[in-house]
Amino acid sequence: MFTLIARLLSSAPASRGMAPPAGIANRLMESAEARAGQDPHHAHELRQAARAYLSVIR
């Protein structure tokens, strides 16, 4: 789960700076929706990662 968050953080271009916290969670949720039909387990992990990220930053 934390590897998913780390991967998203490392893929953000340095020129934009740090993405807003909600932006990272939104990207995780969008990825989960895209995976829902193909791999429900991975979609669930992405949703958990988004919730975990939001609970840490708040």
Side-chain angles (χ1 to χ4, degrees):
M1 176 177 357
F2 292 107
T3 57
L4 295 170
I5 295 171
R7 191 178 325 153
L8 282 173
L9 288 174
S10 67
S11 68
S15 62
R16 287 191 306 169
M18 183 62 110
I24 293 171
N26 283 339
R27 287 175 41 197
L28 284 167
M29 287 297 200
E30 288 171 0
S31 296
E33 290 302 314
R35 294 274 184 191
Q38 300 167 342
D39 189 357
H41 180 71
H42 190 219
H44 178 71
E45 288 179 343
L46 287 167
R47 288 184 190 106
Q48 283 182 320
R51 283 191 289 271
Y53 180 77
L54 287 173
S55 69
V56 168
I57 61 160
R58 290 183 185 199

